[in-house]
Every structure is written in C-alpha cells, then in structure tokens.
C-alpha cells in the first residue's frame, strides 16, 4: 500500500510539473506573438506612399512561383534559412506603380537577390517595359552584379554599380560530380533501368565523366539560352556582340587593362552607366524625387506598397482559376513548394467542381519526379477537361520530365524562351550492397515460398527475374509517356520518339518541335484561357490548399522561407548515399511507389 501511495504521489507531481511547463511555454509564446503583432501593427500604421516617390523593388533570396510551407519550429529556431520572394508580388508591384501617379521611379535594388533565373526575369521584364513606356524611369543598383542579377538590371534605363563592385558574367554550364570509382570502392552496385539515349540523370552512378550523348544534349539548350542572354544584354545596352564576347572570354585582359578595377571595366564596356557610392546614389535620387523625413529619398518598399494597395475585392463569379505546381513531384499529400500527387489532384478536382471556375491555368515549375504521382495528376486534369473546362499550362523556369507529363494534354501550353522542358524519359535505380557487407563479414540468407520472395533487398544481389521485370516496367512507363505526349500534342508516336529519349529543350526549340504552343509568361496564358471561355482576363482566382492556423500565423509574422527538410530514413545504405552522392539525394526523396521516375536531374534553369 505504501508503494502505491508513493507511485500515486510521484505520478501526480509529474503531471503537475508537466502541466506547469506547458502553461509557462504557452504564456511565453503568446507574449512573444503579441509583441511581434503589436510591432507589425505599429509599423504598418505609419506606412504611406509619398507623392513623387521611388518604388524600391528589392527581391530577397530566391524568386519563386510558390512560397515553401512555413514550419514554425524551423522558422523560429534555425538561422540563415534561404529566403523567397514571389514572382507574382514583384510583377504586381510594378504593374500597380505603372498607373500610380505617386510613383516616379522604379529602383531595382538587387543586392539581396540570390537567384531569379532567365525565365522569371523575362516575365518580370515585361512589366518593367510597360513601366518605362509610361514615361517613368527605371534605375538598377547593386554592390556587385552577378550574372543572374545583371540580366534583370539590363532592363533598367540606368545601371549603377558600387566603386568596389563590378559585373560578373561567365556563361552557362552543366558541371556534375561522377561517382563510379567511389561507388566501386564502397562495393555498392547500382542497378539502373532506363530508356532513351539522353536520359543522363543516372550517369553519375555509372560513369566517371559525361557521355557524348549527354554533352550533345546539354550543349544544345545551353547554347540556345546563352545566345538569348547575350542578345538581350547587347540589345538593351547598345553594345556589339564582339565587345560583349570579349568582356566575357578575355576577362583576364579586360581586368589587366584597368589595373584590376572591375567597376571601371564594366563602365568601359558599356555594361553600366555609372560608378557610384551609396551616399551618391541616395543624393542622386533625392535630387530627383525629394527628401523624406529620415533624410533619404522619398520611397516606398515594394512589400509595404503592396499591402497598402491591395484591397479585398468582391469574389468574381466567373473566373479563370490559377493553380501553381512548384517543386519536385512526390506521391501523396505534400506542403507548398512540393508537388504532391494527391494534394495537387485535390486542387484540380476543386477547380472542376467549382462552377464559378470556367477555365484553369496550371503554372508548372518542376523538373519532375515520381512517375506514379505524375499520372495521378494527369488523370485529374483530363477529367477537368472532360467536364468542359479548358486547361492552359504556363511553364515557368522548368516543366521537364514529370513536369511535362502533366502538361502534355493541355489545350494550350505556354513557355518562356528560357524555359527548360521536354526530358521525356523514364528511369529506375536499385542499389545493392551485398559485396560491401561480405567484406565486413555480414552474410544474408534465408528461405522463401517463391522464386522471388524476399529477393528485392539491398543486402542481396539483384535477382535476374526481378531485374528483367523492373526493366519491363520502365519500358512500359516510357511507352506510356510517349503515348501521352503523342495524344496530347496531336502527333504520331513515331513523331514523338525522335524528340524524346530524355532530351531537354529550351522553350524556343520546344515550340518549333510542337511540344509548346506559344511563347509567353503567366499573364499571356491567363489572357488566352479567358478568351477561350469569353470572360475578362482580370477575373482570376488563385486556388490553393488552406494553410493551418500555425502556417497562417508564421507566414504573417515571419514572412516566407525555404525550409530544408532532411532526408529521413533509417537505412544505413541511404545514409551513405546521402553523404557520398548529395545530388542523388533529391531523387531518393521522390519516393515513387515503384521506384520509377520521370525526373530531370540535369535541369538547372539558368
């Protein structure tokens, strides 16, 4: 009895301590949230747009089509997470400022921009062009321009660089690590199943260098996009192709001629209009638009500007629905920033059943992923079309492999000239480590009721029966992919086969080959979808899965951020592969139910 009383006392004490801990943490959390909320309310209440102001467009981190899901623990406890800026926010801010008499100058402040890519830059540039044509001025400023930042800056009327900066342009390349020798030393055997001469995603596992077929395929789209980059800069800056080429290819001589002064080299070659310090830039803008109460030029930061100008509009009854599909394609329900087969299918079904959505624009920015999940999505899109609703696809930086699988059947496909698409191919891979385990003195043995029972294990040699079956499945998946493209693009299978085999194409080439219908951005795709159903293209509605209360709160308070999720697995083999083959870990995360992937590992959009 005495022991029971003691247990009861300590149990009650433990419950009390646990409850007190929870209450204390909740109170602290509420105090923090209240303080942040008050700070936000106070700051927003003082935000205004002065007359004759500069709109500061300062994208931070990576420009994306869809913000990654917000994870409260990661956001609050992890430092240095990459940031994200929505492309749609940048475009909307410029469009609003174009017709706003309070805004006189657009300042592209690019120091915090990590990556935007050619495709998204070209889309944003269309809005910047309209802004310029309205009679207003666009100025670009950065401490030092990398290649990505500079393409965006080239659409400004004036480009300024810091006196300690410069312009770094080097061209485009695909450089990869190859692990054949390392895999051999680790006694790992990768059994690869693929179809197509150009499906080179698995080459790092099988070779020590890039194959000639892969070099041919990569060189084609790299040259196409580099020509587009060069010609854009040459046209915008009014310099010759030879001068541009000399700056890039003879940068050692260029720098020697100016004694190592990169800013002066950029000025001499016409890439910038002036070398300017931060105080000088500030004074120049003050002279143009006047001074604010803080002693700087009159300005409005683009996020504040959007928050002040966005109003709650009455819901449009007849509209074009927009769904963003961004990230790798993975089976099941996935958060924003990853394309879940089930979650995206659910959104498409929502659009089909909503009688107010008359047409759907699917914005795809993906290098593909699970073949199974891609087919789940495609089937749902087909049902939407069978319900009489037009489907228009807008391709972002990439819509390759699985990304093209889900796009192929659309009524119209739009891509930018710099979009990477195609990569029509299938592969599968299964690693075995039986040789490694034998060297460690570990044996694997047992019995089964059939010829293949228990044979699909990484610690056993791959059984020939299973290897043959997997290869047959991969070949079937490839034939199905080809048939989907042929049916969707109104082509014969024989017409698709030569442009498939996993080969990647630029948007320009894809249009010539009939894989894409028209060149243009999201807005052009929306306009086209609206015309198909005879409604105003301004009547749009973005469809998205509802955020949890936690996600809504964290997004409001902390903004967006890319949450790095570690690859969770208990398998020692996959842990080894993650450390030895970092690029391959992306494929391992796709988790196709049959291990069959329509994925373009080579697609890194410039």
């Amino acid at each position: 009895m005495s022991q029971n009383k003691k247990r009861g006392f300590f149990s009650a004490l433990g419950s009390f301590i646990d409850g007190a801990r929870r209450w204390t943490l909740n109170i602290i959390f509420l105090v923090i949230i209240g303080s942040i909320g008050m700070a936000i309310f106070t700051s927003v209440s003082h935000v205004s747009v002065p007359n004759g102001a500069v709109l500061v467009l300062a994208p931070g981190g990576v420009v994306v089509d869809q913000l990654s899901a917000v994870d409260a623990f990661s956001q609050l406890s992890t430092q240095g997470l990459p940031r994200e800026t929505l492309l749609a926010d940048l475009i909307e801010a410029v469009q609003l400022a174009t017709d706003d008499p309070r805004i006189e100058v657009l300042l592209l402040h690019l120091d915090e921009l990590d990556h935007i890519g050619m495709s998204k830059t070209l889309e944003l540039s269309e809005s910047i062009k309209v802004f310029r044509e309205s009679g207003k001025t666009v100025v670009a400023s950065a401490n030092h321009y990398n290649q990505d930042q500079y393409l965006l800056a080239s659409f400004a009327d004036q480009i300024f660089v810091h006196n300690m900066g410069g312009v770094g342009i080097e061209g485009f390349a695909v450089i990869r690590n190859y692990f054949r020798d390392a895999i051999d030393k680790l006694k790992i055997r990768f059994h690869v199943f693929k179809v197509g001469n150009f499906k080179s995603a698995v080459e790092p596992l099988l070779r020590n260098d890039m194959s000639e077929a892969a070099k041919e395929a990569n060189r084609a789209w790299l040259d196409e996009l580099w020509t587009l980059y060069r010609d854009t800069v040459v046209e915008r800056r009014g310099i010759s192709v030879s001068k541009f080429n000399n700056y890039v290819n003879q940068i050692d001589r260029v720098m020697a001629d100016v004694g190592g002064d990169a800013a002066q080299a950029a000025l001499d070659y016409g890439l910038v209009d002036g070398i300017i310090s931060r105080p000088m830039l500030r004074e120049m803008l003050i002279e143009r638009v006047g001074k604010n109460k803080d002693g700087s030029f009159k300005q409005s930061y683009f996020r504040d500007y959007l928050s002040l100008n966005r109003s709650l509009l009455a819901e449009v009854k007849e509209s074009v629905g927009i769904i963003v599909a961004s990230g790798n394609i993975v089976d099941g329900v996935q958060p924003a920033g990853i394309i879940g087969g089930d979650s995206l299918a659910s959104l498409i079904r929502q659009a089909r059943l909503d009688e107010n959505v008359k047409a759907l624009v699917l914005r795809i920015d993906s290098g593909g992923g699970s073949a199974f999940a891609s087919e789940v999505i495609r089937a749902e899109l087909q049902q939407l079309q069978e319900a009489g609703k037009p489907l228009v696809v807008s391709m972002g930086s990439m819509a390759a492999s699985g990304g093209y699988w889900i796009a192929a059947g659309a009524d119209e496909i739009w891509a930018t000239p710099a979009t990477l698409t195609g990569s029509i191919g299938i592969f599968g891979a299964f690693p075995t480590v039986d040789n490694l385990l034998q060297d460690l003195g570990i044996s694997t043995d047992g019995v089964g009721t059939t010829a293949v029972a228990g044979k699909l294990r990484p610690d056993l040699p791959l059984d020939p029966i299973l290897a043959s079956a997997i290869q047959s499945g991969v070949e079937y998946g490839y034939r199905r992919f080809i048939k989907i493209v042929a049916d969707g693009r109104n082509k014969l299978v024989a017409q698709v086969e030569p442009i498939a085999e996993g080969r990647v194409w630029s948007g320009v080439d894809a249009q010539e080959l009939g894989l894409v219908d028209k060149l243009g951005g999201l807005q052009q795709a929306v306009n086209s979808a609206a015309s198909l159903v005879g409604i105003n293209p301004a009547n749009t509605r973005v469809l998205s899965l509802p955020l949890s209360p936690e996600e809504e709160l964290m997004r409001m308070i902390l903004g967006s951020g890319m949450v790095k999720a570690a690859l969770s697995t208990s398998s020692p083999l996959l842990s080894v592969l993650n450390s030895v083959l970092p690029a391959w870990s992306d494929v391992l995360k796709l988790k196709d139910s049959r291990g069959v992937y329509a994925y373009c590992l080579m697609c890194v959009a410039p």
Side-chain angles (χ1 to χ4, degrees):
M1 181 70 76
S2 176
Q3 290 292 330
N4 289 337
K5 285 183 178 179
K6 287 181 179 180
R7 289 196 194 99
F9 170 76
F10 285 113
S11 177
L13 179 62
S15 298
F16 173 78
I17 293 173
D18 183 63
R21 177 183 62 82
R22 291 174 181 271
W23 273 101
T24 302
L25 290 175
N26 286 339
I27 291 172
I28 293 173
F29 180 75
L30 289 174
V31 169
I32 293 172
I33 295 302
S35 301
I36 296 175
M38 182 64 70
I40 292 174
F41 177 80
T42 304
S43 62
V44 169
S45 64
H46 289 90
V47 172
S48 62
V49 181
N51 288 323
V54 174
L55 176 64
V56 181
L57 200 73
V62 180
V63 176
V64 296
D65 283 316
Q66 184 180 50
L67 298 175
S68 299
V70 178
D71 179 89
F73 178 79
S74 297
Q75 289 281 7
L76 289 174
S77 64
T78 306
Q79 298 297 318
L81 287 174
R83 296 152 297 150
E84 296 173 324
T85 302
L86 271 177
L87 174 64
D89 285 351
L90 299 174
I91 292 174
E92 183 182 0
V94 177
Q95 289 175 338
L96 287 170
T98 300
D99 298 321
D100 190 340
R102 298 172 297 178
I103 301 296
E104 288 191 10
V105 177
L106 175 65
L107 174 62
L108 302 177
H109 186 69
L110 304 178
D111 287 329
E112 300 301 318
L113 175 62
D114 294 333
H115 180 68
I116 180 171
M118 283 187 66
S119 181
K120 292 181 176 65
T121 296
L122 294 177
E123 289 194 70
L124 178 55
S125 73
E126 291 297 319
S127 299
I128 295 174
K129 177 183 176 183
V130 175
F131 184 92
R132 288 200 319 267
E133 291 174 346
S134 70
K136 300 181 179 183
T137 303
V138 182
V139 175
S141 167
N143 295 333
H144 178 89
Y145 294 96
N146 63 30
Q147 185 166 278
D148 201 39
Q149 295 167 336
Y150 185 74
L151 183 62
L152 179 56
S154 71
F155 292 98
D157 297 297
Q158 296 175 296
I159 303 177
F160 296 102
V161 68
H162 193 272
N163 56 341
M164 293 296 291
V167 176
I169 303 176
E170 63 177 35
F172 299 143
V174 172
I175 308 294
R176 308 176 69 178
N177 294 121
Y178 290 79
F179 304 98
R180 175 60 188 269
D181 286 349
I183 290 172
D184 288 346
K185 289 177 181 178
L186 291 170
K187 301 295 181 67
I188 299 172
R189 288 188 291 179
F190 261 98
H191 306 273
V192 174
F193 311 89
K194 70 185 182 75
V195 184
N197 293 329
F198 296 99
K199 200 65 187 177
S200 56
V202 293
E203 281 193 356
L205 308 177
L206 306 176
R207 300 176 57 94
N208 290 318
D209 58 1
M210 187 179 291
S211 68
E212 287 304 315
K215 287 181 179 179
E216 175 191 344
N218 289 323
R219 191 176 292 114
W221 65 263
L222 284 169
D223 287 346
E224 182 76 41
L225 296 190
W226 177 241
T227 299
L228 176 61
Y229 184 102
R230 182 201 64 201
D231 291 350
T232 300
V233 171
V234 164
E235 179 183 357
R236 287 293 310 145
R237 296 303 302 167
I239 61 178
S240 67
V241 171
S242 61
K243 193 171 186 178
F244 177 86
N245 287 338
N246 187 67
Y247 180 86
V248 177
N249 295 305
Q250 306 294 329
I251 188 64
D252 54 339
R253 298 180 184 177
V254 171
M255 290 293 287
D257 290 343
V258 292
D261 188 342
Q264 187 62 49
L267 182 63
D268 290 347
Y269 275 78
L271 297 177
V272 300
D273 296 293
I275 301 171
I276 195 168
S277 65
R278 291 179 179 179
M280 290 171 62
L281 176 64
R282 184 167 58 246
E283 290 302 318
M284 182 190 76
L285 291 173
I286 288 174
E287 185 177 342
R288 171 66 188 268
V289 301
K291 185 181 295 188
N292 64 14
K293 62 181 180 180
D294 297 322
S296 186
F297 54 90
K298 292 192 292 184
Q299 60 187 272
S300 180
Y301 180 62
F302 82 99
R303 294 194 190 278
D304 297 333
Y305 182 73
L306 283 175
S307 67
L308 289 172
N309 282 276
R310 284 172 172 162
S311 59
L312 295 175
L313 302 175
E315 184 176 345
V316 179
K317 289 191 174 181
E318 293 189 345
S319 61
V320 173
I322 301 174
I323 293 178
V324 177
S326 178
N328 290 335
I329 301 175
V330 183
D331 194 21
V333 176
Q334 301 294 336
I338 303 174
I339 303 173
D342 291 339
S343 45
L344 181 53
S346 176
L347 272 179
I348 297 164
R349 187 160 55 252
Q350 176 184 325
R352 173 170 58 84
L353 298 175
D354 190 336
E355 61 182 20
N356 293 325
V357 175
K358 300 302 180 183
L360 178 66
V361 173
L362 181 65
R363 170 71 168 198
I364 301 174
D365 193 3
S366 173
S370 163
F372 178 82
S374 299
E375 176 58 20
V376 168
I377 296 165
R378 188 203 65 82
E380 200 67 54
L381 289 170
Q382 183 179 30
Q383 195 169 13
L384 176 132
Q385 291 172 286
E386 290 171 353
K389 298 190 177 185
L391 170 65
V392 176
V393 163
S394 168
M395 294 179 170
S397 299
M398 289 185 292
S401 285
Y404 193 78
W405 186 306
I406 65 178
D411 297 290
E412 283 185 4
I413 300 178
W414 289 73
T416 74
T419 296
L420 295 184
T421 188
S423 189
I424 301 166
I426 296 285
F427 73 89
F430 186 77
T432 57
V433 291
D434 49 302
N435 288 341
L436 171 62
L437 295 179
Q438 285 180 3
D439 281 359
L440 296 174
I442 301 172
S443 300
T444 306
D445 196 12
V447 296
T449 59
T450 68
V452 294
K455 294 290 185 68
L456 196 63
R457 295 171 54 105
D459 51 2
L460 286 173
L462 183 60
D463 188 277
I465 296 175
L466 290 173
S468 178
I470 294 172
Q471 181 64 39
S472 294
V474 169
E475 290 173 1
Y476 167 77
Y478 181 66
R479 292 194 303 270
R480 181 171 178 79
F481 198 168
I482 293 287
K483 185 68 164 55
I484 287 170
V485 174
D487 291 344
R489 299 277 80 205
N490 295 316
K491 292 178 178 291
L492 299 174
V493 168
Q495 293 176 301
V496 176
E497 287 175 337
I499 58 177
E501 296 190 321
R503 187 157 184 170
V504 179
W505 305 100
S506 70
V508 172
D509 287 340
Q511 185 191 29
E512 293 178 356
L513 295 169
L515 296 176
V516 165
D517 294 304
K518 299 178 182 179
L519 297 180
L522 177 59
Q523 188 58 57
Q524 286 85 353
V526 169
N527 293 344
S528 183
S531 68
L532 291 175
V533 291
I535 64 174
N536 188 333
N539 296 349
T540 61
R541 181 146 56 94
V542 177
L543 305 176
S544 59
L545 294 173
L547 297 176
S548 68
E550 177 199 74
E551 289 171 332
E552 290 277 12
L553 183 61
M554 296 310 299
R555 181 158 289 177
M556 178 187 71
I557 293 174
L558 298 175
S560 64
M562 298 177 68
V563 180
K564 291 185 176 179
L567 181 61
S568 57
T569 175
S570 59
S571 167
L573 168 64
L574 295 187
S575 298
V576 171
L577 292 178
N578 279 334
S579 62
V580 176
L581 310 175
W584 190 251
S585 66
D586 283 342
V587 177
L588 299 175
K589 295 176 186 179
L590 302 179
K591 299 178 182 176
D592 183 90
S593 59
R594 295 184 300 117
V596 178
Y597 304 100
Y599 186 61
C600 185
L601 190 62
M602 193 69 77
C603 293
V604 180

